[in-house]
Amino acid sequence: MDKIQQLHERKEKIMLAGKSVREDINSLIDEQSFVELSTFSFSKNEFYGEDAQGEGVVTGFATIDGYPYIIAAINPEVMQGGVSNAMCGKIFKCLDTAEKNDMPVIYLLSSKGVQVGEGVNVLEGLAKLILKAVQLKGSITQYAVINGEVYGQLASVAAACDFTFFIEDKSVLAANSPLVISAKSGVNVPKKDVGGAKGLDKANLASFTVKNLTEVRQTISKITELLSVRVADSEEMNTVLPQLNAEVTAENLLSIFDEGSSIEIGASFSPDIKCVIGRAGGITAAAVIFDKDGGVLLDALKIRKIKDFAEFACCNGLPFITFVNCIGLQPCLENNNSLVLKEIAELVNILDCLDAKIAVVSGKAVGLGYTLFAAKSIGYDCSYAFANSQIALFDSEQGAEIEFSGDNVTDKAKLAERYSEENSDPVNAAKNGYIDNIIEPAFVKQYLTASLQMLLK
């Protein structure tokens, strides 16, 4: 037989089996940049009585806007996307290549579980794959695209990634089948309410919710550019932001980033904590913005969101900026009987590992809100406070009642006002050297840019 003809026939069969998933890959990458690896991988599944074309996963490398990536895309048309030991081995091989060549990884995930008949073999494969994904966290950037329904242990690979994309009306992610979860929970709910982005609003798994793979491509490209080019030319270094003098809001605080450079991560999870990466005066930085009138009260989920983001900043050597408007811990039984104190301890450990930290008290820094996000003793290199901000041990009314509990005072409102004026002025912290400068909000970008330049290594 003509070997060239045989090669064409084999390739045609493989391409036909993976037509849809290859179209998805092409939606992400630069045209004709994909180089497939392990193309002719086959194993036999006795249960289905058919060959696993390419082990049910298409792997290779490609570029997006010129930057290289390793890609592993599960093909749900082979063995119904069932995970096998061979599939895990093929993806593991990709991760090994990514590690050796310092290349980011993009997973396109779509699988409803493991291949029946694999037994413990697939569990060993999953263990090896999950361990590798976790080991790579912090050394190479990993992106997971939930490109359909992903159930079972493969969901742990998505959880190990730095960024996870949920596609509207398509993505479902769950540790078990949603049918099983619903049945065990005694309720009948749609699978998207179980594992869609909205259904996982307390899981901190949906970094981005997008309409299609084109948006995934655009977001990955933007993140890669920010992480690859840490210092870029900018004409916005001395920008004045008069809108901040008029009103200090999260939207106005986002103006500290150069135009078009910022991107918010995990907007649907604890939305009053905004985690943003972008460029300020041309320098890539990570920022946490507390977004709630009167100040944010902390719970375990909010602390976890900040901790995960700070860990990402630490692993990628990004300066960490806090815009503080936080009045401490949520005082309730549920919060007290949660993991909040454990999360606080772990957050402090991560904060200590950050190379550069800048605090801006933009609203209130009260109690733990000051300790974690502005205190010099926690390692903040530069600390600024807006002229109209407040720094105190307690929020005004609570503080007044505690401070003067022994006095015979009946007008608590007047007492709260006195406490606020006399004890919460940021000048008091500045007098003791804990605040480097009290500034007019409109000029905050100039201070930040100067500080970032000073802290560059």
Side-chain angles (χ1 to χ4, degrees):
M1 180 181 289
D2 185 340
K3 291 295 184 181
I4 301 298
Q5 180 62 31
Q6 187 180 48
L7 175 63
H8 285 306
E9 290 175 359
R10 286 171 172 170
K11 278 191 173 181
E12 184 178 355
K13 187 177 180 180
I14 291 170
M15 295 303 162
L16 185 62
K19 181 179 178 182
S20 295
V21 74
R22 284 181 170 84
E23 289 175 353
D24 288 342
I25 292 172
N26 288 333
S27 297
L28 285 176
I29 64 173
D30 298 337
E31 189 175 357
Q32 296 184 339
S33 68
F34 185 62
V35 178
E36 190 168 348
L37 302 173
S38 302
T39 307
F40 295 98
S41 295
F42 295 92
S43 60
K44 185 77 172 180
N45 187 291
E46 298 300 332
F47 183 86
Y48 288 100
E50 60 181 283
D51 289 332
Q53 298 278 355
E55 312 302 357
V57 58
V58 177
T59 61
F61 57 91
T63 60
I64 299 176
D65 292 335
Y67 287 103
Y69 301 82
I70 289 289
I71 295 175
I74 292 178
N75 182 4
E77 296 175 1
V78 173
M79 305 293 184
Q80 302 178 24
V83 178
S84 66
N85 188 24
M87 177 192 287
C88 293
K90 189 171 175 180
I91 299 174
F92 181 92
K93 183 179 177 182
C94 267
L95 299 185
D96 199 37
T97 300
E99 183 178 28
K100 289 177 181 177
N101 294 279
D102 195 25
M103 294 169 66
V105 176
I106 301 173
Y107 305 89
L108 287 169
L109 302 178
S110 180
S111 173
K112 294 182 180 179
V114 298
Q115 288 187 23
V116 177
E118 282 262 327
V120 175
N121 288 330
V122 68
L123 298 181
E124 286 288 345
L126 280 163
K128 185 177 180 181
L129 175 58
I130 293 168
L131 176 61
K132 187 67 173 181
V134 171
Q135 288 174 335
L136 292 181
K137 191 173 179 64
S139 59
I140 64 170
T141 308
Q142 298 179 84
Y143 302 89
V145 182
I146 310 305
N147 199 36
E149 298 173 38
V150 180
Y151 306 149
Q153 294 186 39
L154 194 65
S156 298
V157 174
C161 291
D162 300 281
F163 303 101
T164 305
F165 294 84
F166 279 67
I167 301 172
E168 292 177 1
D169 302 321
K170 185 177 183 180
S171 300
V172 182
L173 181 72
N176 300 101
S177 166
L179 290 175
V180 174
I181 293 173
S182 294
K184 292 292 185 180
S185 303
V187 293
N188 184 18
V189 294
K191 57 189 176 185
K192 288 179 182 176
D193 291 345
V194 175
K198 291 183 180 179
L200 295 172
D201 61 346
K202 293 181 174 60
N204 196 22
L205 285 170
S207 304
F208 305 101
T209 302
V210 298
K211 293 180 180 178
N212 49 46
L213 290 173
T214 300
E215 283 192 35
V216 174
R217 173 196 167 104
Q218 293 168 347
T219 305
I220 289 176
S221 179
K222 190 171 183 177
I223 292 171
T224 302
E225 179 70 15
L226 287 169
L227 296 179
S228 300
V229 183
R230 300 301 179 90
V231 182
D233 292 334
S234 174
E235 297 179 357
E236 301 183 38
M237 297 172 62
N238 295 311
T239 303
V240 178
L241 307 173
Q243 63 269 34
L244 281 171
N245 277 0
E247 186 178 14
V248 179
T249 64
E251 183 178 355
N252 287 342
L253 285 170
L254 284 171
S255 300
I256 67 104
F257 290 108
D258 300 347
E259 186 175 358
S261 74
S262 66
I263 183 166
E264 183 179 356
I265 300 164
S268 62
F269 174 62
S270 295
D272 48 2
I273 303 291
K274 294 188 177 300
C275 296
V276 184
I277 56 175
R279 289 198 180 98
I283 300 172
T284 301
V288 173
I289 300 173
F290 292 82
D291 181 21
K292 189 173 184 180
D293 291 341
V296 171
L297 283 166
L298 299 169
D299 59 26
L301 295 180
K302 292 181 175 66
I303 293 288
R304 180 57 186 261
K305 182 175 183 178
I306 297 168
K307 184 189 78 174
D308 287 350
F309 186 59
E311 184 178 21
F312 171 79
C314 182
C315 291
N316 288 275
L318 298 179
F320 191 71
I321 305 169
T322 56
F323 289 94
V324 189
N325 186 22
C326 178
I327 54 177
L329 281 175
Q330 175 73 47
C332 66
L333 288 173
E334 182 182 4
N335 198 34
N336 190 62
N337 187 25
S338 74
L339 293 172
V340 66
L341 295 177
K342 287 282 190 179
E343 295 290 355
I344 289 168
E346 291 177 12
L347 172 60
V348 171
N349 184 48
I350 296 296
L351 291 173
D352 184 51
C353 295
L354 286 161
D355 288 334
K357 296 190 290 291
I358 301 171
V360 179
V361 182
S362 55
K364 294 181 178 180
V366 175
L368 188 69
Y370 173 83
T371 302
L372 291 176
F373 307 114
K376 284 287 187 181
S377 297
I378 217 82
Y380 285 89
D381 302 281
C382 303
S383 297
Y384 304 107
F386 287 174
N388 52 356
S389 65
Q390 297 178 31
I391 300 174
L393 184 60
F394 305 104
D395 203 13
S396 57
E397 187 172 351
Q398 178 190 12
E401 292 183 28
I402 294 174
E403 185 87 8
F404 300 102
S405 58
D407 294 355
N408 185 19
V409 179
T410 57
D411 192 342
K412 292 184 179 180
K414 183 179 288 186
L415 193 58
E417 182 181 355
R418 171 188 168 192
Y419 181 88
S420 179
E421 290 179 355
E422 293 184 2
N423 296 280
S424 301
D425 193 314
V427 167
N428 292 313
K431 285 179 180 177
N432 293 319
Y434 301 134
I435 297 295
D436 294 307
N437 210 336
I438 300 172
I439 63 176
E440 187 176 335
F443 297 104
V444 65
K445 183 163 184 175
Q446 296 180 12
Y447 282 91
L448 284 176
T449 300
S451 300
L452 289 170
Q453 288 176 333
M454 183 265 293
L455 295 170
L456 274 177
K457 295 184 179 179

